[in-house]
Amino acid sequence: MRTLVFDGRTGAAGDMICAALIAAGADPDALAPVSDALPVRYAVGEVEKNGIRATTVDVLVDDRTVETDGDHDHGHDHSHGHDHGPDNDPSTSGSDEPAEGAGVHRSYREVVDLVESMGLPPAVESTALDAFELLGRAEASVHGTDLDETHFHEVGADDAIADVVGAALLLADLGPERVVTTPVAAGGGTVEMSHGTYPVPAPATTEIASRAGFRIAGGPIDRELLTPTGAAILGAVADGFDAVPDLAVERAGYGAGDADFERHPNVLRALVGDGGEPGPDGDREKRDDDRARAGQPVDGRLAHDDIAVLETNLDDAAPEVLGGLQETLSRAGARDVTIVPTTMKKSRPGHLVKVICKPADAEAVAERLARETGTLGVRQSGASHRWIADRAFETATLRVDGEDHEVDVKVASTTDGEVYDVSGEYDDAAAVAEATGLPIREVLRRVEAEVREQLPRE
């Protein structure tokens, strides 16, 4: 099996990944669709890092107008100032200004629309969108927003898009059957962001690492070595290995970062060769599990949904208050409310209230829960996401004594469209039962059977 191995013992960033892929044999001409779609161009060159000849890739501003936005979340994602090869001399055409942070800073949805508008091959588009979904879910989790509402700052700028889409194009050109990565060095110390000073790895990088199928390691120096863009690209394409697997190496290449360290060459090594064979079913299941953990769709699985889970214990709530919590908390943003009888201290009867909501609604729901019940504290449990079905509603028409009655029916399916549950809405069925004299369960049986008959058959 033709395998590509990333060896990230001194970190990874978007430009380093692109450079490593070119050094390992990918054709730089494959990057043309990005330059056609964005006001940027690539400069490919070489540099020496601690005695190692390495490839550099800079994303430069083209002559076309580029708007800028100075509000950045991350300041270390791209390398500039390298020596450029004679065929890529920035002085020969356009501007030689680095494109770091250049261009409009887009929302997640705007980035998706832009990538989809580029006319990329399906596999390339899928890889790029997987990486941006990892970035988006990480930012949404860190900032407590919904995915579609997430606003990218630096990682939504032209150069970051050029890195992500460029890496996907180069990977497709190189054509490995499998991509793996060893544990990636995250670095250490602190990093300056628009929201303040944070320890390395940065919050978004940490969140991506928790979802991706590879491991990170601290050090070996106090500097940010693994960026959110680099982590997202690797998370979208690579399986994690503890060490370089058995490999008949055909080619080795090095992609340079922008820093120079005394004892550690700032390069990402890429190895290409035969090996890294997958195991039987267990290896496939591991890849599926990695993709599921990253929030990426897997055939036959449920969909990923970021949530917050709130809890409180009550030992003196009136039944009327408990009975009204479903409605009042739903108005505040709750997606589900569960009330469980329990035993409190001194054997007093009580209730455990559990609430599922979106992370952005957690504070409002917690406040409403406190006001409604008088509880002195609401805790947020460790759950960060749930797995949910793709849901659609069909309307079934039940004809009784010459009159038509409509009942909504919920259809639940996996991400690949396999329907596994059909359930009539109880309130609709109850209304029809009252109007017709039929038992509620008979109404439900008939409308569910009607919808099942209309479903496409394999």
Side-chain angles (χ1 to χ4, degrees), residues 154 235 250 381 392 404 448:
E154 190 149 305
E250 299 173 5
S381 73
D404 290 339
E448 290 168 3

Side-chain angles (χ1 to χ4, degrees), residues 9-10 49-50 220-221 225 259-267:
R9 278 177 272 190
T10 50
K49 294 285 186 179
N50 297 63
I221 60 172
L225 299 179
D260 292 303
F261 308 132
E262 182 178 354
R263 297 180 58 82
H264 302 279
N266 184 211
V267 296

Side-chain angles (χ1 to χ4, degrees), residues 162-333:
D163 280 346
V164 173
V165 179
L169 287 163
L170 293 168
L171 184 65
D173 182 74
L174 194 60
E177 297 174 83
R178 190 180 195 194
V179 182
V180 303
T181 180
T182 64
V184 184
T190 60
V191 60
E192 294 295 328
M193 295 166 38
S194 60
H195 302 290
T197 302
Y198 285 82
V200 171
T205 304
T206 304
E207 186 64 28
I208 292 169
S210 73
R211 298 167 179 268
F214 65 89
R215 294 166 57 188
I216 63 173
I221 60 172
D222 282 347
R223 173 164 176 150
E224 183 183 38
L225 299 179
L226 176 61
T227 65
T229 302
I233 295 171
L234 293 178
V237 303
D239 297 325
F241 271 45
D242 289 338
V244 175
D246 291 342
L247 196 71
V249 177
E250 299 173 5
R251 186 154 182 172
Y254 299 85
D258 63 333
D260 292 303
F261 308 132
E262 182 178 354
R263 297 180 58 82
H264 302 279
N266 184 211
V267 296
L268 173 66
R269 181 168 66 167
L271 306 172
V272 179
D274 287 331
E277 299 291 343
D281 290 342
D283 192 73
R284 176 184 59 78
E285 291 169 0
K286 176 186 181 299
R287 292 199 301 274
D288 281 353
D289 288 342
D290 291 341
R291 290 178 59 82
R293 186 167 59 251
Q296 301 166 16
V298 178
D299 288 347
R301 297 288 183 93
L302 300 180
H304 181 286
D305 184 37
D306 290 326
I307 59 164
V309 179
L310 307 178
E311 298 180 347
T312 191
N313 293 88
L314 305 174
D315 62 4
D316 58 356
E320 295 82 2
V321 171
L322 295 174
L325 285 180
Q326 292 278 357
E327 182 177 352
T328 56
L329 295 181
S330 293
R331 287 200 298 264

Side-chain angles (χ1 to χ4, degrees), residues 28-42 59-60 62 64 114-115 117-121 158 161-162 165-166 169:
D29 289 344
L31 297 168
V34 178
S35 298
D36 292 341
L38 294 174
V40 299
R41 59 193 180 83
Y42 297 90
V59 180
L60 305 178
D62 196 38
R64 290 168 284 180
L114 175 60
V115 172
S117 73
M118 288 183 175
L120 302 169
D158 288 341
I161 294 174
V165 179
L169 287 163

